[in-house]
Structures are given as C-alpha cells and as structure tokens.
Amino acid sequence: MDFSVTTVLLQLFVVFLLAKIAGYLCRKIKVSAVIGEILVGIIVANIFLYQWLGFDTDPGYMDVLEVLSELGVIFLLFSVGLETPFSDLRKVGKTAMLVAILGVVLPFIAGFAVIMFLYNNQAEALFIAAAMVATSIGITARVIGDLNLTHRVESRVIIGAAVIDDVLGMIVLAVVTGIAVGGESANVIDIVSSVGLGIVFVILVIVMGSMILPKIHRRRQEEYRQKCACEGYEPVRKSPRASNPFILAIIVCLGISLAASYVNLAAIIGAFLAGMVFAEFKEELPCEHEVQSLNQFLVPFFFIYVGMQVDLSAFNAETLILAVGITLLALATKFIGCGLGARSLGGKSAAIVGIGMAPRGEVGIVVATLAFSTYGLITPSLFAVIIFMSMATTIIAPPILTWLFRKKIESETLEKPEGTTG
C-alpha cells in the first residue's frame, strides 16, 4: 500500500476532533481535559476505528502520530518549564524544600520496593518509582487559581514545592534512564559518569541560557531604539525589528532538546530546562501565549498516542488490583511525605499540602511513555498501571483539595473575630 497523505489527514482530523470534543466534555464536568484525550486514544485503539482509520496498515501511519506526539510532549515540558523559573527555587522556604524532598523520597522508595518485591525487575521498578515521584504543577496550580487562594501560605508552599519537585523529578528521570538503559552492564562508574554528565549539562544550560538569551534580546532592542531615535520616530512595543521571542523559544527548545539526547538524557529534560531559562525572562521574552497556541494543537496528539498504547486486554484481574494498589500507594506516600514536610504549618494545612502534591497528571504519563514506547523496559500491563495511576490521582486529588481548603477556611472563619481575614 502506498503512503497516502489523504489517509494521514483523515486520521489526524478524526482523532484531533474527538480529542477536542472529549476535552470539552471533561472540562464541563470539572475534570482535566487530559483525561478525555487519553480516553479517546484508548477507545480508538480498542474498537473498529483503529482498523477503519488505517492505523493497522503499512507503511507507518502510526509513525506520523508518534512524531506529532513526541513534538507534543517536548513542547508540553517546555511550557511546564515556562511556569518554573530558576529564581523561584531561591525564593521558596525550608518548608517547601522539605515538602518536595520527602514527596520525592517516600514515593520513590515505596514504588521501587513494591515492584521489586512483586517482579524482581530493576528497570520496571525504577520507572514505576520515577512515575510515582512526579507532581503535576499545572493541575494543582489550576485548582488553586480557580479557588482564588494563591495568596494563602498552603498555596505558596504547594506551588514552591511543586517547582522543586519538577526539578528533582527530572533529575530522578535522568538517573533512572541512565541506570535502566544500561541494564546489567551499568556499573558504578557508568552511573556516576552519566549523572555527572547530566549535571554538567544542566549547569551549562542554566549559566549559558541565563546569560546569552537576555543579552541578545537587549542588544536587539537597543539597536531598534537607536534606529528609531536616528530616524525620528517613537519605538513601538512590538515591531518587526524587535526580536521575536516565540521563534527564539522554538529554536532554543529544539536545540537544547537535541543536545540533551546527545548526552543520553531524555529530550524532554532539555525541553524542560529550555522552558526554565525562558521563564527567568518572562517580561523581556514573552512567548507563553504563542507556545500555548502551539500546544493546543500538538499536545493532544501526545495524550491520544498514550491512550492508543493501552491494551484493554492487559487489564486482567491481577493488573486491575495492582493498578488500584499502586494508585492508593501513590496517594498515600505523597500525602504522608509532603504532609510531614509541612507539619510545621499545622495538621489541616499539612493535609492540604499533602493532597495538593498528589496529582501525577501528564508528568507521570510522560515517564510511562518513555519507559514503554521509547525504551521498551516495562510490560504493557505495567504501562497500563502507570496510566491508570496518573489518571486516577489527577481525578481524585482536585476535589479533595477543594474540600480541604473549604473546611480550613470555614474553621478559620469560626475561630477568628468578625472582620478578620485568613
């Protein structure tokens, strides 16, 4: 069969339209659109649509969707990085740091121990543990923003800890990937060199990106202002002569992602770092709106592709029991670990922080896809388990967080004299 552009267009049209409809319906019932997009992928792959759309035929129609999904996850992590400026790591206090560390260590140890006990497979255990480490800063921030509670100390701790958690999660993912891909041949020297190379790469991106990008922008802007002064007209805020932050963002995102892959890190780590660099200069290099528009097109293909990797036949009784168990473990370890880190705020506030850090969302799904599709290091059953856990924590945590916040505010209203604020 010859490769048909018409077939590709039909496939993209159908799955994209279905994903947008599902996302809209999910938002109407106050559930993340990500859930709808994944469900569309699962449905398409497990009913007649998979054959009708020609995904089961050669040559490589699934490859087109896979490429779009890879670009989608790269720009997804870039946009997550845009919400995570390096300066935020310096501003958060000891509480947020402790919350983040305990919220990484406890889930990682628990996830690794359970899978090693059940299957005695190091690579599977490492990736399950890495997926349990994640916190979806986007989902948590959305809930807090919708409640108009960004000013509260619990919110600041959650967001600050989630920022640190993202960075620690990427470091964990880099280390886990190095160890797991190395397999039996990985020794201490290999692991140390891999981690060392990753650290050097991260430092170089931070230092060079933080110094070079703003200098280029300021020089271009100064040249433009001088030209305006010489020609006798006022400079405008946006002009063809001024640098285009969006174009620069795409170049840097793709370039650093490529460089990360060359040093045996996941390309998404490079994309995340590129986003953090740009986040440092949001005022000088605004590109969030354009990146968000690009993500509206590309990112759904990633979640659709993720859903299409889920084989419903893999959900036998044993897998379902494991999925529920891992989900409960993921919720409990984040709640306990992050709650312990925030215990200085009081019991109710610690509970809010613990639940606020629980959603794994897209970050856990990214780890699962990397392990399953890219490296083939976990089974379809375990892939389905991680997807289930990521989706379930994303659905369960936000309503609980909302309830805990409201109960805390109600108790403060009863305890404080009229006219005071909490």
Side-chain angles (χ1 to χ4, degrees):
M1 177 181 175
D2 295 329
F3 191 84
S4 171
V5 174
T6 303
T7 302
V8 172
L9 291 175
L10 174 65
Q11 293 169 344
L12 299 185
F13 170 74
V14 171
V15 297
F16 188 77
L17 179 63
L18 291 175
K20 286 302 177 182
I21 293 172
Y24 171 77
L25 294 175
C26 284
R27 286 191 294 270
K28 292 291 285 184
I29 59 174
K30 302 187 184 303
V31 174
S32 173
V34 167
I35 304 302
E37 292 163 0
I38 294 173
L39 288 175
V40 164
I42 294 173
I43 292 169
V44 168
N46 289 275
I47 64 174
F48 72 94
L49 280 176
Y50 190 82
Q51 289 77 27
W52 183 73
L53 290 172
F55 283 118
D56 61 334
T57 60
D58 288 328
Y61 286 111
M62 277 296 290
D63 294 344
V64 176
L65 194 61
E66 183 178 3
V67 169
L68 287 174
S69 75
E70 291 291 337
L71 290 173
V73 72
I74 283 172
F75 284 103
L76 171 63
L77 267 292
F78 179 75
S79 64
V80 171
L82 281 176
E83 300 173 5
T84 316
F86 293 114
S87 57
D88 280 8
L89 302 183
R90 299 190 294 268
K91 293 178 182 177
V92 295
K94 294 180 181 179
T95 301
M97 179 65 76
L98 189 58
V99 167
I101 291 173
L102 291 178
V104 166
V105 172
L106 194 59
F108 187 90
I109 292 174
F112 183 82
V114 167
I115 300 303
M116 283 298 290
F117 174 76
L118 292 175
Y119 300 106
N120 194 31
N121 185 305
Q122 178 179 277
E124 292 179 344
L126 285 170
F127 275 106
I128 289 282
M132 290 181 65
V133 160
T135 292
S136 176
I137 185 173
I139 291 168
T140 303
R142 174 67 181 273
V143 173
I144 292 171
D146 288 346
L147 294 172
N148 294 317
L149 294 175
T150 54
H151 62 282
R152 292 186 62 91
V153 63
E154 298 95 342
S155 301
R156 293 197 298 269
V157 169
I158 289 171
I159 298 300
V163 168
I164 299 171
D165 190 292
D166 275 340
V167 177
L168 293 176
M170 287 298 140
I171 293 173
V172 168
L173 180 57
V175 174
V176 163
T177 302
I179 296 173
V181 173
E184 296 180 357
S185 62
N187 54 44
V188 175
I189 296 176
D190 293 333
I191 294 170
V192 170
S193 62
S194 177
V195 173
L197 184 60
I199 292 172
V200 170
F201 176 79
V202 171
I203 292 173
L204 284 175
V205 170
I206 294 171
V207 173
M208 294 179 64
S210 299
M211 293 174 61
I212 294 173
L213 283 177
K215 286 183 178 179
I216 292 174
H217 178 70
R218 284 194 293 267
R219 185 171 66 247
R220 295 285 302 277
Q221 292 294 80
E222 183 60 31
E223 290 174 357
Y224 172 63
R225 284 192 292 268
Q226 290 176 0
K227 182 177 183 293
C228 291
C230 291
E231 297 181 4
Y233 58 86
E234 288 293 323
V236 294
R237 183 173 179 81
K238 292 185 178 181
S239 76
R241 185 67 184 89
S243 60
N244 188 327
F246 178 57
I247 298 300
L248 189 59
I250 291 179
I251 293 171
V252 172
C253 176
L254 295 177
I256 296 180
S257 299
L258 177 64
S261 64
Y262 272 123
V263 296
N264 296 321
L265 294 177
I268 57 173
I269 296 175
F272 181 77
L273 291 171
M276 292 184 75
V277 170
F278 266 82
E280 199 68 34
F281 308 100
K282 282 186 176 181
E283 297 300 322
E284 295 178 304
L285 298 168
C287 61
E288 295 95 329
H289 179 72
E290 292 88 348
V291 170
Q292 184 60 30
S293 297
L294 182 63
N295 283 352
Q296 288 289 322
F297 173 66
L298 286 176
V299 173
F301 289 114
F302 169 68
F303 292 112
I304 292 166
Y305 185 78
V306 167
M308 291 179 72
Q309 306 308 301
V310 176
D311 182 4
L312 290 180
S313 63
F315 272 106
N316 51 36
E318 180 184 344
T319 301
L320 188 59
I321 292 170
L322 178 61
V324 172
I326 290 293
T327 299
L328 294 175
L329 185 66
L331 289 168
T333 50
K334 278 287 185 181
F335 181 79
I336 294 170
C338 297
L340 285 174
R343 67 187 184 279
S344 61
L345 302 178
K348 292 180 180 178
S349 294
I352 289 171
V353 172
I355 287 295
M357 295 290 289
R360 273 32 175 218
E362 69 281 356
V363 185
I365 293 166
V366 167
V367 175
T369 306
L370 189 70
F372 181 66
S373 299
T374 305
Y375 297 117
L377 293 172
I378 62 175
T379 63
S381 295
L382 282 180
F383 176 74
V385 165
I386 302 178
I387 298 300
F388 182 95
M389 179 271 293
S390 299
M391 293 173 63
T393 55
T394 300
I395 294 170
I396 293 169
I400 298 176
L401 178 62
T402 301
W403 181 77
L404 288 173
F405 259 126
R406 287 174 177 164
K407 294 293 288 184
K408 179 73 162 53
I409 292 169
E410 287 174 6
S411 67
E412 290 172 350
T413 303
L414 294 173
E415 291 170 5
K416 293 188 176 184
E418 188 176 349
T420 62
T421 57

